Amino acid sequence: MVFLGLILAAAAVTAGAGIVMANDGSASLTIFGYAVPGVSTHWQVFLTGAAVAVVFMLGMMIAIVGFGRRMRTRRDLRYLREEHEESLTTLEMEKRRLQRELAQVRRGEPAPAPAPRPGPAAPQPPAPGRHVAGAPHQTGPRETPLAGAAARTTFFDRKD
């Protein structure tokens, strides 16, 4: 895409240079009924049109960048609003639970056991014959017989 864009830009510059060099006759430029002073040849009219096109493209680029920034800001604000509502709901539920527990304690009833909070699962022990970083290495007979040097040592037994 970049290559295609560069080819098109080079073609536009070449065509513009050809128009400027080939048209040297007299012309006049009128905008909203008023003649523009200092523009008296075809190539000056063409360059004026090119300048207007550049200003137009610059304005469109600024508008598109502003629109994209506004959309990102709206998306971020919507996400933050949803996150805030979720945290408020969680805090309200926690407040109600604590109020119930406080009321039970004030009445002299035993407080219920706290509900388990969701969290990371307890680590599972490694499968037999598998080694885990930080776990003690079991030194015992291997399940499969090995021949030669491999029978005497494993990778994890090596001290080098």
Side-chain angles (χ1 to χ4, degrees):
M1 283 303 221
V2 173
F3 182 69
L4 180 62
L6 290 174
I7 288 176
L8 289 174
V13 168
T14 304
I19 290 171
V20 167
M21 300 302 255
N23 292 303
D24 58 355
S26 66
S28 64
L29 179 63
T30 306
I31 300 176
F32 301 119
Y34 296 101
V36 177
V39 180
S40 59
T41 60
H42 289 289
W43 68 269
Q44 289 173 335
V45 172
F46 176 77
L47 289 180
T48 304
V52 170
V54 167
V55 170
F56 174 77
M57 293 302 294
L58 183 64
M60 291 302 294
M61 285 176 31
I62 290 171
I64 290 170
V65 168
F67 181 72
R69 181 178 295 141
R70 178 68 181 146
M71 293 301 293
R72 277 192 308 276
T73 302
R74 287 180 60 132
R75 183 178 49 239
D76 292 346
L77 287 175
R78 184 173 46 244
Y79 171 75
L80 289 173
R81 193 177 309 119
E82 290 171 358
E83 188 177 277
H84 179 71
E85 289 172 1
E86 287 176 10
S87 65
L88 280 178
T89 303
T90 304
L91 288 173
E92 288 172 354
M93 289 173 38
E94 182 74 11
K95 178 184 172 188
R96 285 189 213 113
R97 184 185 65 80
L98 290 172
Q99 286 175 337
R100 284 192 306 268
E101 287 181 18
L102 180 62
Q104 287 177 347
V105 168
R106 287 183 177 165
R107 286 189 303 244
E109 299 174 6
R117 292 183 175 235
Q124 299 292 327
R130 300 217 25 163
H131 302 287
V132 178
H137 178 66
Q138 298 175 348
T139 56
R142 295 179 58 99
E143 288 83 354
T144 57
L146 297 174
R152 292 185 297 256
T153 179
T154 65
F155 177 79
F156 294 103
D157 291 333
R158 293 175 28 183
K159 303 271 191 270
D160 53 71

